[in-house]
Amino acid sequence: MTVSDPVLSVFDAWEPEHHADPYPVYRRMRDQGGLVPFLLDDVPVTLVTRYEECAAVLTGSDWGHGYSAGISPFRDPSAAIPGSFVRMDPPDHGRLRSLVNKAFTPRMVARFLPVVQERVDLLVDAAVERGRAEVLADFAVPLAVAMVPGALLGAPESDGPDLRRWQLAIARGSDPDHLLPADAIAARGTAAQECMAYLHALIERRRTSRTDDLLSMLLHVEDQGDVLKQHEVLGISLLTLVAGMETTINLIGNGLHALLRHPDQLALLRADPSLVPSAIDEMLRYDAPTQFTIRVALAETKVGDRTFRRGDGVVVLTASASRDERAFDRADEFDVTRYAGNRPARRHLGFSLGLHYCVGAPLARIEAETLLSRLIRHDLTLTDTVPTYQPSLIHRGLVELPITIA
């Protein structure tokens, strides 16, 4: 059986009526199989729905993005972002990832912990004084702005609103074009141009005024005589801004929403704060900030019982995989102890797997763990407001999450 078989399945998780909760649709697709033929913008591709098959694609050496080879059936969302390695394949990806890893070290990330702690204390203290908070606007967004464009790139905090506006438009624009309205496509292009112009000016200032932020390190990092080119620093900076902010903001929003809807789990955390790291992993598994990604077969290869030809495309439903009952006991239950201690829970796909595992995952964890550790000391209650979600499909995140706090 090959991916070109004509039997196509109905997949409606991206329809508006399922936007608030796509997980029942994911379950229905998993019940059809781990590899489900699907038509994406008139292009036959395959939905990868189950954990084993998703993990095989994400970690397989015969899978990539195929843009440099000209074999991808998908639009290249990084075409207007030169130097971004998120859609690159080896050897280009390995070269840039190695240079970024030399700059974005565990030591650098650990150095940000006191900064995160100070900012979290200020944000939470202010919310407690008011007696109420909106999780995104009062916690997640200002924390992400302070850490990603602020601490990592050295951007003034006063530029935060513009950076957030650009980041949202570019993130929204990463969805398949046929699922986007014309104004979202136009906003994506405008935001990319304005944001790249802003980052270009920031890079030029940093060349003559070096500090200890990530941007300065990217400009001076070296690996066996290899250095990053100007357009590569620009692309990596834009990737850091968009992916770093969106993932962290949505991890905090989705995670707290899940926790507050499960008061028994909140009680467990309060009784044992050492469960906070496990809770963050469960938040990433249960309602992931990134719902899917795409891959292309770089050579003829086999996954499960399906043979894929070079150039065949797949949509890897990572959020579905992390709810796969074949891989996780009680997969649809939210359990903050799932990843605690030596329990043998399967690795979730919230930060992906393989070559493209999220480079910013350690910083996102520090931000989310620090905020959660502080918030569980307080009485938190969801308001009666019905939650609404950002229109993006790849990136799953709330528009707002009002709470009371005491």
Side-chain angles (χ1 to χ4, degrees), residues 12-256:
D12 56 357
W14 295 335
E15 296 299 323
E17 61 266 30
H18 299 297
H19 196 50
D21 184 12
Y23 295 102
V25 178
Y26 293 161
R27 174 184 281 274
R28 173 163 54 81
M29 302 313 291
R30 290 195 302 272
D31 288 344
Q32 292 190 36
L35 302 164
V36 181
F38 174 60
L39 201 63
L40 179 65
D41 196 18
D42 296 328
V43 176
V45 297
T46 298
L47 293 174
V48 190
T49 69
R50 297 177 182 173
Y51 186 93
E52 291 295 341
E53 288 84 354
C54 285
V57 171
L58 293 175
T59 59
S61 60
D62 289 331
W63 292 94
H65 289 96
Y67 296 123
S68 60
I71 61 172
S72 175
F74 303 109
R75 172 186 66 85
D76 183 359
S78 59
I81 311 173
S84 173
F85 64 90
V86 70
R87 301 296 184 190
M88 288 183 179
D89 297 320
D92 294 331
H93 174 270
R95 170 184 165 264
L96 291 190
R97 181 78 180 230
S98 176
L99 287 164
V100 170
N101 286 344
K102 283 183 173 293
F104 199 73
T105 62
R107 182 178 179 182
M108 167 183 250
V109 173
R111 183 164 53 84
F112 290 136
L113 181 56
V115 181
V116 173
Q117 184 68 65
E118 180 181 8
R119 182 52 60 101
V120 164
D121 287 342
L122 288 171
L123 294 172
V124 175
D125 286 347
V128 171
E129 185 174 347
R130 292 191 305 269
R132 65 185 186 282
E134 197 282 286
V135 168
L136 283 303
D138 293 330
F139 299 143
V141 171
L143 182 58
V145 168
M147 296 313 302
V148 178
L152 288 184
L153 301 179
E157 196 161 339
S158 58
D159 294 340
D162 282 339
L163 293 164
R164 172 64 169 159
R165 176 169 54 83
W166 294 330
Q167 172 255 319
L168 275 174
I170 296 170
R172 170 71 169 122
S174 61
D175 285 348
D177 270 10
H178 79 285
L179 299 174
L180 292 171
D183 60 344
I185 294 175
R188 175 185 68 200
T190 300
Q193 291 177 357
E194 292 178 354
C195 192
M196 283 194 292
Y198 175 91
L199 291 172
H200 177 75
L202 195 64
I203 290 167
E204 290 306 304
R205 291 200 301 271
R206 195 63 75 249
R207 285 190 187 279
T208 58
S209 179
R210 183 176 180 177
T211 65
D212 59 354
D213 56 30
L214 176 65
L215 184 54
S216 293
M217 294 182 184
L218 289 174
L219 288 169
H220 297 90
V221 72
E222 181 177 341
D223 183 14
Q224 299 180 353
D226 189 15
V227 296
L228 290 168
K229 301 175 179 63
Q230 169 81 8
H231 72 281
E232 292 169 342
V233 175
L234 180 61
I236 292 167
S237 298
L238 185 56
L239 171 63
T240 300
L241 175 69
V242 177
M245 286 183 64
E246 192 69 8
T247 299
T248 303
I249 290 168
N250 293 338
L251 164 57
I252 291 170
N254 297 354
L256 280 172

Side-chain angles (χ1 to χ4, degrees), residues 270-335:
R270 285 186 173 134
D272 184 3
S274 71
L275 289 173
V276 165
S278 171
I280 297 301
D281 276 309
E282 179 67 346
M283 290 170 176
L284 286 160
R285 184 200 71 84
Y286 182 78
D287 197 10
T290 302
Q291 293 281 291
F292 63 91
T293 186
I294 57 176
R295 292 292 188 271
V296 175
L298 303 179
E300 184 172 299
T301 189
K302 192 171 183 179
V303 175
D305 63 351
R306 182 78 59 83
T307 297
F308 292 87
R309 301 168 301 186
R310 173 178 162 88
D312 284 340
V314 298
V315 177
V316 186
L317 293 173
T318 50
S320 172
S322 289
R323 290 281 197 103
D324 186 357
E325 56 279 0
R326 297 157 192 82
F328 299 94
D329 293 334
R330 301 170 291 104
D332 285 328
E333 293 184 23
F334 182 71
D335 178 6

